[in-house]
């Protein structure tokens, strides 16, 4: 019997190795998998490359992971916030590499990884500093920049409900990057508010099918 | 001369947003546009983080941490709204499905280039968010800004000196002094909004040449 | 008040011009907008380019449109079926141009049009006859073919429920190409089984948001 | 020599599909694999037209025109299944999320090339469906076919003479005579399945050289 629901949260991330690329869901705090990030901090992996829209807020979650010195590089669209002091400090000290990616390009690059697209031409950022050095092309009257997929070893996500096959639903704007990150990572680990019996999620309402999910943890 | 304040600029923008439009409002002044839309006009607001039908701020105590807007402030959703993920959300933007986006800016050029994401200072931590996607993707890009810097220099310029957000994308500029259309042959004054401001004085302040054809 | 629900089906397609590109939803008969196709036949537009997974079955729907000689070119993945005689006859007579596209490439090209992607590299069909003459590239250890978006003037779709903003849900596998075609067309016209009040579709369950829909017709 | 029949080939494939696998079954013989999976083994079948958790054929009278499989036959969905649209469905395939796909073929080459979509005849109306996507995208591509043509020629060949569906993608071949792995150094016999068939005779029929290491 397939059962992706794990009993012990620690087991969910035991195999994360130093140098891994980890996608972390969430837009600000909505959809941020706080408990899984705490697990990752406790687990100890370092030299991580993190993919998230932001670079952490205040002292918990992603900010705590960054503050603990575990992150070598971050790919995000909006690192600078009023309470991104851990990021700011390490970035200014040259201890944290930043790859700044426009938000839609970030989303599409993640989607491309999960969808088997090798590269794509996007109009976003053409002619700007963020396209410097990138291949461009004029297609059908418009200028485009070539962008590549972002693959990950792990995706750490927060969803609302899951069944034992790993089918997921989300709550409101906590959905954000989770469905595309689930598909882009080799191992997708999800914390959920509620686990339900198979069949409790209507097949029409599944947002992330279990094919993209490896491990589920219920967080109380 | 009496300049428009931020709410008056937002109200002036709101006048130009038609019934049924799909609109994305940037953070700051653009966000104010929502509260100036007429109650009887249905406009559907898109929020990059996965909402169509963004509603007003929730009442105190009614906030939901899973329901926020693109500025990460507590939000609501209107009856008829929809949630979706980030790739779908930016497909809407990049694919030309947003009728109007309203952005703030440091500078706008006569060709419609916009600079709004980076001051160009060497030690600044850069952050771009969805600005470049909106600039490149929305059918119409409206810019709201004060017309002049604190030093009195025009933010409407021949060429932007700040790092660009997007090229040739701005269609209309709303400032505390005027409303200006960006067309292929240059800038066209639509309306002077500051009371007591003459065309000649606006032209002097604006720097870049303004075309104007008085209503017949 | 926004109201995309039209009273008269004929009005839904009155402005289709000769030479238009028309996407038609459906995989076989599931999701095939039979009544809208009948409207299009009655409307009379010709020299159409049609995008559908197939090339019509038996004598109704898309097959009838083809049989009536209205289609100049068809983009599809699987034209040949036991009952595709209208297609077969016109194709063999040299009166109907065929662009054969692998099914996943067809879907991704339609998706690219709606998502503002200028072109993309796909591994599908590399080294085969269907990639002949196409640009290829070796990326990260794998070979890819460059493919371009398929844009349309109209999309004719069948959905299950719609509200006056054009939000849609589908039934089972009738969903197939409809959500991506809705986004790829300048004018998306949808026939539905049921129209409902605004708010009757849960925002979590909307499959095609109204932003992609222009006209809705209830078919009894 | 007693060759396997279609159901026996399907049953042999089914043995190799592990619990929890995500599997796509092509039209024809591959479809038969589903009915040979052990009842106590959960395998999730993907259908290109937007199903995960494809179930058995519906009982007569229970057909639903909105619920069909990739072969357009009436279908059912298992408890725990999901529906999705075509771009998402082929993202699963192209993105390497399908563990195993089972395809029929005209020919398979020693390098793992597969030809299964076109006879190469000049006047044939071509049709490809999802075959090229599956060949390019699935983690493992299993091929089922009769080993020999009606003329007695091997369908396992040095180089395919029919138009290709995909290059270097087949991982295992199941025929009425044998199970053969395709590896970077050539073809490896896994098992002779036809009763009374010797390795030497199989080698002669197969044409292309087969490696074989008997179990220790």
């Amino acid at each position: 019997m397939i059962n992706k629901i794990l009993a012990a949260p620690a087991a969910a991330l035991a195999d994360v190795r130093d140098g891994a690329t980890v996608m972390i869901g969430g837009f600000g705090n909505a959809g941020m998998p706080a408990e899984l990030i705490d697990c990752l901090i406790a687990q100890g992996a370092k030299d991580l490359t993190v993919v998230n829209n932001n670079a952490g807020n205040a002292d918990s979650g992603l900010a705590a992971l960054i503050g603990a010195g575990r992150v070598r590089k971050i790919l995000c669209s909006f690192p600078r916030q009023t309470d991104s002091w851990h990021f700011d400090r390490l970035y200014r000290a040259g201890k944290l590499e930043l790859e700044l990616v426009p938000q839609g390009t970030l989303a599409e690059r993640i989607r491309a990884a999960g969808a088997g697209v090798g590269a794509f031409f996007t109009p976003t950022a053409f002619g700007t500093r963020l396209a410097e050095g990138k291949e461009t092309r004029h297609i059908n009257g418009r200028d485009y920049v070539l962008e590549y997929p972002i693959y990950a070893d792990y995706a750490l996500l927060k969803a609302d409900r899951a069944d034992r096959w790993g089918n997921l639903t989300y709550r409101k704007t906590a959905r954000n990057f989770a469905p595309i990150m689930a598909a882009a990572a080799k191992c997708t680990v999800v914390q959920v508010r509620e686990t339900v019996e198979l069949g409790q999620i209507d097949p029409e309402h599944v947002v992330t099918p279990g094919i993209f999910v490896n491990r589920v943890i219920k967080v109380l | 001369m009496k300049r428009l304040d931020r709410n008056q600029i937002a109200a002036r923008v709101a006048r130009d947003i038609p019934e049924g439009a799909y609109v994305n409002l940037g953070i700051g002044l653009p966000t104010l546009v929502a509260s100036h839309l007429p109650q009887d006009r249905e406009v559907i607001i898109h929020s990059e983080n996965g909402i169509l039908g963004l509603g007003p701020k929730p009442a105190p105590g009614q906030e939901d941490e899973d329901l926020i807007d693109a500025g990460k402030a507590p939000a609501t959703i209107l009856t008829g709204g929809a949630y979706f993920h980030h790739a779908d959300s930016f497909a809407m933007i990049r694919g030309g499905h947003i009728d109007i986006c309203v952005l703030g800016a440091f500078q706008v050029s006569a060709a419609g280039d916009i600079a709004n994401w980076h001051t160009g200072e060497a030690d600044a931590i850069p952050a771009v968010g969805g600005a470049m996607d909106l600039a490149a993707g929305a059918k119409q890009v409206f810019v709201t800004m004060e017309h002049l810097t604190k030093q009195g220099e025009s933010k409407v310029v021949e060429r932007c000196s700040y790092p660009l957000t997007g090229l040739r994308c701005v269609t209309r500029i709303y400032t505390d002094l005027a409303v200006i259309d960006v067309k292929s042959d240059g800038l066209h004054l639509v309306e002077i909004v500051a009371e007591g401001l003459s065309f000649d004085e606006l032209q002097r302040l604006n720097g870049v040449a303004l075309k104007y054809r008085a209503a017949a």
Side-chain angles (χ1 to χ4, degrees), chain A residues 150-180:
Chain A
I150 303 172
Y151 304 96
D153 298 301
Y154 292 85
L156 275 51
L157 307 175
K158 180 181 173 182
D160 190 45
R161 299 193 303 156
D163 60 32
R164 65 180 176 82
W165 281 12
N167 292 308
L168 305 178
T169 62
Y170 302 90
R171 255 195 99 240
K172 306 183 179 184
T173 58
R175 185 182 306 196
N176 58 70
F177 285 91
I180 49 175

Side-chain angles (χ1 to χ4, degrees), chain B residues 9-208:
Chain B
I9 297 173
R12 181 62 190 78
V13 174
R15 258 180 51 196
D16 289 351
I17 297 180
E19 166 101 346
Y22 290 89
V23 178
N24 184 294
L25 302 174
I27 297 170
L29 198 162
T31 301
L32 296 176
V33 171
S35 51
H36 291 281
L37 292 165
Q39 292 291 330
D40 61 348
R41 197 184 294 172
E42 280 193 322
V43 168
I44 298 177
I45 300 176
H46 172 267
S47 187
E48 295 97 292
N49 58 320
I51 309 176
L52 272 171
L54 182 71
K57 285 192 180 306
Q62 299 298 306
E63 298 88 354
D64 180 335
E65 65 172 10
D66 287 339
L67 181 45
I68 60 175
D69 64 20
K72 305 197 176 76
T76 60
I77 190 168
L78 299 181
T79 297
Y83 297 115
F84 36 85
H85 64 58
H86 249 82
D88 282 350
S89 183
F90 280 85
M92 290 175 196
I93 294 172
R94 204 189 307 104
H97 305 284
I98 303 293
D99 296 306
I100 297 168
C101 82
V102 187
L103 297 173
F106 300 140
Q107 292 176 325
V108 176
S109 83
D113 297 349
I114 175 175
N116 80 346
W117 73 285
H118 197 296
T119 59
E121 285 163 34
D123 69 336
I125 295 179
V128 66
M132 288 188 182
D133 305 282
L134 286 161
K139 280 186 214 162
Q140 295 185 71
V141 176
F142 289 178
V143 164
T144 61
M145 60 184 184
E146 293 185 344
H147 210 113
L148 306 176
T149 66
K150 282 171 189 166
Q151 291 73 37
E153 290 167 356
S154 177
K155 296 183 181 177
V156 179
V157 294
E158 202 60 58
R159 285 175 65 93
C160 296
S161 57
Y162 287 110
L164 294 180
T165 306
L167 274 67
R168 300 175 181 277
C169 56
V170 175
T171 51
R172 185 169 267 203
I173 306 166
Y174 297 82
T175 78
D176 49 346
L177 303 185
V179 178
I180 297 169
D181 271 347
V182 183
K183 298 192 175 178
S184 55
D185 65 345
L187 302 176
H188 290 247
L189 176 65
V190 175
E191 184 185 346
I192 292 176
V193 294
E195 245 180 71
L197 176 64
S198 69
F199 177 78
D200 288 350
E201 177 63 2
L202 174 65
Q203 178 61 80
R204 192 186 65 77
L205 292 169
N206 190 66
V208 188

